[in-house]
């Protein structure tokens, strides 16, 4: 079975190679080749999962070394894979949801002339993400990490003829480079501290290293997670990434790229457990981001950008849980998986709506679509109920566990974190109800497109609706199945560990409070958008609303701090260069030149001048000799 691990990465990688290098002769079948590669990787994952279930809890880890990658003297880095319960969870999520998104893309991208290349990029993305979660050392993980960054750049900017898409791709790439610097520094610090990059030796000996070193490693790992998972302060790229095709949004924002930071922190749990300050930084980032993203989601009229704010917020919940240590690690991953189902379904549903509305993204120009797109309405609606935590659906089981774990932190910190998580749940219910009401309910507010044609909404083809139905089923059932006899908790416990927190409030009280804030959020949204006419053009709004529409000024702050700051720094460096560096260089040159000009006069070629010089020198020597004798 160990030999099959490498094929998980190899199959989509070969698919990408064939599609990107095969030329136009593959245009007719390229989309099916890409989909088959993703599906085959999922089948291999299922086979490995079945084999893993047949083993005991402590014997489920498989390892495979493909070849020695960098053998230099005493240094050695291998291309090696590690398949345990944590990585297996990601393998099934990435390949399963990824295959559904590939199938959806067959219909969504049917009329795109570059569809073959698009599927090649999708395969490349899957291969890079699988390499990231299967690597058995941080150096190889870094390769997958960078591969995901490259593939996301290519996918977000796929429609590069649109300046907005090209700009969004560059923005995502550059912001992620900041986070990637954190991971590269972490890898170097690990090698200087532990003498290796391998997970086993690093994590087993983490408690033996100094707390200061571990805190430094934990903080730069957090920086890396903030970049990939769009957490404060590196969250600004996520909303703009919606310029890519909708399947890209589903792939990046549901089951793959944005979850990489959660995986990194959970996999590195031993480091954070031994570095309390780094752990505090993690929970702080998670709590701030879950509220930040939720507020941004409330103010967006673009359906995909509203869902992007939601993704930011839900990943914030996962980061918060991961920062709680063994109390929260399993629930962070549980919410990650359930989120993969309902958020992928929501994005694909948004794409289906756009498909039927002539690519219109403004929800204020929708309305009444439930009658024209019944399958999209039902599947999107189930995803909506799951994400707000409606009782019995997936989000109810996973998000409530995170809220309980937050309160279990204890003390004032526990109340603050638990309160933030509850407030986030209320805002989530509000903005997602707003999305549902603006899109599927109320009167028709359809407007002519750029060509002057009114949209004629209709249900999407089966290649699009089948993946939406499958994801909707997962949105309904996954959380409940995971919670039966704590099945998911027991599955992950050998890898992540688990501790029972000591919460000042009971599980029943947390559930009651969550349901209360949920219904408050729904009621407020209904009073604003269900009972009143919705204007086609958004009113100016108050100052807080305008700030929220501008993503809480995240781009403005980046512009002031980074762009303007960089400009001032550059001008200062130029001034120093011109005045100090050039002054020293030019002054030295001028001094040498002046001295040389004066010395050149002594070497004029006239015999009389040399005779006078010799006479003068002799006179000086004689005078000096006489003076010394007299003394």
């Amino acid at each position: 079975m160990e030999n099959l691990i490498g094929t998980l990465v190899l199959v989509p990688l070969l698919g990408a190679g064939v599609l990107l290098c095969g030329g136009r002769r593959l245009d007719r079948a390229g989309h099916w080749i890409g989909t088959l590669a993703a599906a085959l990787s999922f089948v291999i994952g299922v086979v490995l999962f079945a084999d893993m279930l047949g083993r005991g809890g402590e014997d489920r880890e498989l390892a495979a070394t493909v070849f020695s990658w960098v053998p230099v003297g005493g240094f050695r880095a291998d291309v090696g894979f590690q398949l345990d319960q944590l990585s297996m969870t990601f393998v099934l999520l990435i390949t399963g949801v990824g295959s559904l998104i590939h199938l959806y893309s067959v219909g969504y991208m049917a009329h795109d002339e570059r569809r073959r290349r698009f599927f090649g990029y999708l395969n490349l993305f899957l291969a890079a993400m699988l390499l990231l979660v299967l690597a058995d050392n941080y150096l190889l993980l870094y390769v997958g990490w960078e591969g995901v960054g490259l593939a996301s750049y290519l996918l977000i900017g796929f429609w590069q003829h649109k300046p907005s898409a090209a700009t969004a791709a560059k923005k995502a790439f550059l912001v992620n480079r900041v986070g990637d610097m954190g991971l590269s520094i972490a890898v170097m610090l690990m090698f200087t501290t532990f003498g290796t990059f391998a997970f086993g030796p690093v994590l087993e000996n983490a408690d033996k290293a100094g707390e200061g070193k571990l805190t430094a490693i934990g903080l730069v790992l957090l920086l890396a997670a903030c970049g990939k998972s769009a957490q404060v302060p590196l969250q600004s790229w996520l909303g703009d990434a919606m310029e890519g095709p909708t399947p890209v949004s589903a792939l990046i924002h549901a089951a793959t790229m944005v979850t990489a930071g959660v995986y990194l922190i959970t996999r590195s749990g031993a480091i954070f457990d031994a570095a309390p300050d780094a752990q505090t930084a993690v929970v702080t980032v998670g709590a701030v981001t879950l509220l930040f993203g939720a507020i941004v989601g409330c103010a967006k009229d673009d359906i995909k950008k509203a869902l992007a704010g939601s993704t930011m917020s839900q990943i914030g919940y996962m980061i918060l849980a991961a920062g709680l240590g063994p109390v929260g690690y399993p629930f962070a991953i549980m919410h990650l998986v359930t989120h993969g189902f309902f958020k992928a379904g929501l994005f694909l549903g948004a794409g289906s709506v756009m498909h039927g509305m002539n690519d219109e993204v403004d929800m204020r120009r929708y309305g009444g679509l439930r009658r024209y797109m019944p399958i999209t309405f039902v599947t999107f609606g189930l995803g909506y109920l799951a994400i707000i935590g409606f009782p019995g659906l997936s989000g109810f089981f996973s998000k409530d566990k995170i809220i309980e774990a937050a309160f279990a932190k204890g003390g004032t910190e526990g109340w603050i974190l638990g309160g933030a998580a509850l407030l986030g749940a209320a805002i989530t219910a509000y903005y997602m109800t707003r999305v549902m009401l603006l899109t599927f309910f109320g009167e028709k507010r359809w407007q002519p497109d750029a060509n002057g044609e009114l949209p004629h909404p209709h249900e999407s083809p089966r290649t699009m609706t089948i993946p939406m139905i499958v994801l909707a089923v997962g949105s309904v059932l996954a959380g409940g199945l995971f919670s039966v006899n704590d099945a998911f908790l027991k599955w992950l416990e050998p890898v992540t560990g688990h501790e029972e927190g000591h919460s000042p409030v009971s599980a029943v009280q947390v559930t009651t409070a969550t349901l209360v804030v949920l219904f408050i959020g729904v009621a407020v949204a209904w009073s604003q958008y269900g009972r009143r006419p919705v204007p086609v053009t958004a009113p100016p709004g108050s100052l807080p609303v305008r700030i929220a529409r501008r993503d809480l000024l995240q781009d403005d702050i980046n512009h002031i701090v980074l762009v303007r700051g960089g400009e001032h720094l550059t001008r200062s460096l130029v001034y120093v260069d011109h005045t100090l560096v050039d002054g020293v260089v030019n002054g030295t040159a001028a001094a040498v030149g002046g001295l040389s000009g004066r010395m050149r006069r002594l070497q004029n070629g006239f015999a009389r001048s040399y005779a006078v010089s010799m006479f003068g020198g002799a006179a000086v020597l004689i005078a000096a000799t006489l003076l010394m004798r007299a003394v």
Side-chain angles (χ1 to χ4, degrees):
M1 283 296 172
E2 289 83 352
N3 296 329
L4 281 178
I5 301 176
T7 61
L8 286 167
V9 180
L10 184 61
V11 169
L13 187 61
L14 285 176
V18 169
L19 293 174
L20 296 176
C21 301
R24 294 188 177 278
R25 67 177 71 98
L26 296 178
D27 281 355
R28 291 186 178 180
H31 49 290
W32 291 117
I33 293 173
T35 304
L36 180 62
L40 181 56
S41 189
F42 174 66
V43 171
I44 295 171
V46 171
V47 171
L48 288 167
F49 176 63
D51 175 73
M52 186 176 286
L53 288 178
R55 300 169 181 263
E58 301 299 327
D59 299 325
R60 286 176 170 172
E61 181 177 326
L62 298 177
T65 300
V66 181
F67 61 88
S68 182
W69 178 21
V70 188
V72 181
F75 171 78
R76 179 187 177 94
D78 294 330
V79 172
F81 299 123
Q82 173 179 309
L83 187 66
D84 55 20
Q85 291 92 322
L86 178 61
S87 53
M88 175 56 77
T89 301
F90 276 84
V91 164
L92 294 176
L93 180 66
I94 294 165
T95 58
V97 175
S99 297
L100 293 173
I101 292 172
H102 275 70
L103 179 60
Y104 178 94
S105 302
V106 171
Y108 191 87
M109 303 293 289
H111 303 294
D112 196 292
E113 295 179 353
R114 301 166 64 236
R115 181 167 62 167
R116 170 183 54 82
R117 180 173 296 184
F118 180 77
F119 276 83
Y121 292 160
L122 287 181
N123 273 194
L124 179 62
F125 193 101
L126 286 190
M129 192 66 196
L130 288 169
L131 179 63
L132 191 159
V133 300
L134 288 171
D136 70 351
N137 63 84
Y138 284 96
L139 191 60
L140 188 60
L141 180 150
Y142 182 76
V143 175
W145 193 272
E146 291 298 317
V148 168
L150 170 62
S152 66
Y153 168 78
L154 296 172
L155 287 167
I156 293 170
F158 183 74
W159 286 330
Q160 54 195 337
H161 59 277
K162 297 166 54 179
S164 57
T167 301
K170 288 187 288 185
K171 183 177 182 179
F173 190 81
L174 291 173
V175 173
N176 271 274
R177 293 293 71 72
V178 178
D180 294 354
M181 283 296 296
L183 183 56
S184 64
I185 294 171
V187 171
M188 290 184 277
L189 287 175
M190 287 174 189
F191 185 74
T192 58
T193 303
F194 303 102
T196 180
F197 305 113
F199 290 154
V202 169
L203 300 178
E204 290 170 7
N205 296 300
D207 57 348
K208 300 176 184 176
E211 185 175 322
K213 287 185 177 180
L214 293 177
T215 299
I217 293 173
L219 290 177
V220 288
L221 286 174
L222 174 60
L223 178 64
C226 286
K228 275 290 183 287
S229 295
Q231 300 292 284
V232 172
L234 300 179
Q235 79 289 357
S236 62
W237 65 270
L238 192 67
D240 291 350
M242 297 299 102
E243 290 295 335
T246 299
V248 175
S249 303
L251 188 65
I252 290 178
H253 299 154
T256 53
M257 180 172 171
V258 294
T259 63
V262 183
Y263 171 80
L264 180 65
I265 293 174
T266 304
R267 175 63 76 186
S268 308
I271 294 174
F272 287 95
D273 292 342
D277 291 340
Q279 218 169 36
T280 299
V282 173
V283 295
T284 301
V285 166
V288 170
T289 307
L290 75 87
L291 294 176
F292 188 106
I295 293 171
V296 168
C298 293
K300 294 298 181 181
D301 291 329
D302 184 317
I303 187 171
K304 289 173 65 178
K305 290 190 176 182
L307 294 178
S310 171
T311 296
M312 195 187 305
S313 178
Q314 297 304 307
I315 300 295
Y317 273 103
M318 301 172 206
I319 295 291
L320 169 62
L324 297 173
V327 175
Y329 290 141
F331 304 128
I333 303 302
M334 181 177 175
H335 193 54
L336 185 152
V337 175
T338 59
H339 177 265
F341 285 111
F342 56 69
K343 184 52 64 65
L346 289 169
F347 269 115
L348 297 189
S352 179
V353 170
M354 291 167 57
H355 182 268
M357 292 293 291
N358 296 351
D359 291 326
E360 177 64 67
V361 295
D362 190 341
M363 293 183 291
R364 291 182 178 273
R365 301 188 174 193
Y366 292 163
L369 292 180
R370 69 184 187 278
R371 295 189 295 273
Y372 302 89
M373 308 179 71
I375 297 177
T376 301
F377 167 63
V378 172
T379 55
F380 194 97
L382 291 174
Y384 152 73
L385 292 175
I387 194 173
I388 68 173
F390 192 82
L393 276 73
S394 292
F396 171 78
F397 295 98
S398 57
K399 192 189 295 185
D400 275 23
K401 289 294 185 182
I402 293 177
I403 298 174
E404 289 178 31
F407 278 111
K409 183 71 173 177
T412 304
E413 188 177 359
W415 284 104
I416 292 174
L417 294 176
L422 274 177
L423 179 59
I427 302 175
T428 300
Y430 170 80
Y431 70 72
M432 285 306 305
T433 302
R434 175 178 180 269
V435 170
M436 281 294 296
L437 293 173
L438 287 177
T439 303
F440 295 102
F441 293 88
E443 298 299 323
K444 297 184 291 186
R445 301 180 300 276
W446 309 343
Q447 300 293 311
D449 60 16
N451 299 320
E453 297 181 3
L454 275 173
H456 299 283
H458 55 278
E459 194 57 85
S460 299
R462 289 184 180 179
T463 53
M464 295 173 64
T465 56
I466 290 174
M468 292 159 55
I469 292 170
V470 174
L471 291 170
V473 172
S475 301
V476 174
L477 299 179
L481 293 176
F482 291 162
S483 300
V484 175
N485 295 324
D486 292 327
F488 195 81
L489 177 63
K490 294 175 182 177
W491 164 257
L492 283 180
E493 190 171 2
V495 181
T496 63
H498 178 63
E499 295 178 3
E500 291 293 337
H502 302 288
S503 177
V505 294
S506 67
V508 174
Q509 290 173 319
V510 170
T511 300
T512 302
T514 303
L515 292 178
V516 169
V517 299
L518 182 155
F519 288 116
I520 290 174
V522 171
V524 173
W526 171 257
S527 68
Q528 291 183 347
Y529 298 98
R531 299 178 57 187
R532 305 176 186 174
V534 177
V536 175
T537 302
S542 61
L543 179 61
V545 171
R546 295 198 299 272
I547 291 175
R549 286 175 183 165
R550 292 177 62 87
D551 298 335
L552 297 181
L553 306 180
Q554 55 183 316
D555 284 332
D556 302 84
I557 293 171
N558 288 343
H559 185 78
I560 293 171
V561 175
L562 300 178
V563 178
R564 291 285 180 83
E567 289 175 352
H568 289 306
L569 177 61
T570 302
R571 292 193 186 108
S572 301
L573 293 176
V574 169
Y575 176 78
V576 171
D577 181 59
H578 285 170
T579 57
L580 181 61
V581 178
D582 286 355
V584 171
V585 173
N586 295 335
T588 302
V592 172
L595 181 61
S596 300
R598 287 168 175 77
M599 292 184 66
R600 184 162 56 87
R601 296 174 185 176
L602 301 176
Q603 304 293 329
N604 54 21
F606 295 111
R608 62 179 179 270
S609 297
Y610 297 156
V612 171
S613 299
M614 293 171 64
F615 178 77
V620 170
L621 289 174
I622 292 171
T625 302
L626 293 175
L627 181 62
M628 291 179 65
R629 285 183 177 182
V631 174

